[in-house]
Amino acid sequence: MTIEKIVEQALQDGYLTPAMEAEVGRICDTASELSIEEYMALDRLMGSLLTGEVVAVPRKQFINVMEELVLTEAIARVAEIESTSDATLDLGDIAAYALNRLPPLYATTEEGANFQRETARGELSDLIAEQVHQAIARSLDQPDFYPDRQTIQKKPTDKVLGQVSALLQDHAHKFEPAQASR
């Protein structure tokens, strides 16, 4: 999809979805140079966002409560092992191994997260402990074949998208919506 089509869709619908925003960022990052039409479309989009003609749909925030529970268990077990031996364990590997064998427990509110925690503590604590135990056993058994392996790195923010965002933030405070007629 082109920037022009994305902007046209956003203007038609009145909103810019996270997927549309990501696509604009991808196009801007991969293009060595934007055309005049693309710059004009981006300008229209920025203007529409500033006036409220188009609203950016926020990303829904959510967490997987199981990650918290597994990490808590794994940290306690790893600390016990490392304090009584000369073994060094990779907490990330242990948590990932255990999490891949446990059900996710997603929540979008604090109330939902508390419900998931309580439910998991009552019904899944033994399973969590067992999966962490298996992950540690596997980690202790694993030879160090790949000492130079690279951990997952966060991607840097999209340059052009970051610039557009900074521009909007710089100019948003100067914008005053038109007074509604009375």
Side-chain angles (χ1 to χ4, degrees), residues 79-107:
E80 286 175 7
I81 292 168
E82 288 183 347
S83 69
T84 60
S85 71
D86 58 352
T88 302
L89 297 168
D90 187 322
L91 187 61
D93 284 352
I94 291 165
Y97 183 93
L99 283 165
N100 282 330
R101 287 152 184 80
L102 291 164
L105 298 174
Y106 288 101

Side-chain angles (χ1 to χ4, degrees), residues 4-134:
E4 295 92 335
K5 286 184 181 178
I6 293 169
V7 171
E8 185 179 308
Q9 185 70 47
L11 289 169
Q12 178 184 334
D13 296 344
Y15 57 86
L16 181 70
T17 67
M20 293 161 81
E21 182 183 341
E23 182 65 10
V24 168
R26 186 194 64 74
I27 291 169
C28 290
D29 267 357
T30 57
S32 59
E33 195 173 299
L34 296 176
S35 69
I36 292 292
E37 292 80 14
E38 290 171 319
Y39 276 115
M40 289 174 58
L42 285 174
D43 188 53
R44 277 185 71 203
L45 180 60
M46 284 192 296
S48 300
L49 287 165
L50 285 171
T51 62
E53 183 182 354
V54 172
V55 294
V57 178
R59 288 175 174 81
K60 182 78 169 170
Q61 296 298 313
F62 57 89
I63 62 167
N64 180 357
V65 175
M66 185 60 79
E67 291 178 11
E68 172 187 312
L69 299 171
V70 166
L71 277 171
T72 301
E73 179 72 17
I75 289 168
R77 299 296 77 76
V78 166
E80 286 175 7
I81 292 168
E82 288 183 347
S83 69
T84 60
S85 71
D86 58 352
T88 302
L89 297 168
D90 187 322
L91 187 61
D93 284 352
I94 291 165
Y97 183 93
L99 283 165
N100 282 330
R101 287 152 184 80
L102 291 164
L105 298 174
Y106 288 101
T108 60
T109 64
E110 283 301 319
E111 296 80 9
N114 289 333
F115 174 81
Q116 293 287 38
R117 281 183 199 100
E118 292 309 310
T119 301
R121 285 183 184 124
E123 299 174 14
L124 300 172
S125 60
D126 290 342
L127 182 60
I128 292 168
E130 176 59 29
Q131 291 305 322
V132 169
H133 174 76
Q134 286 181 17

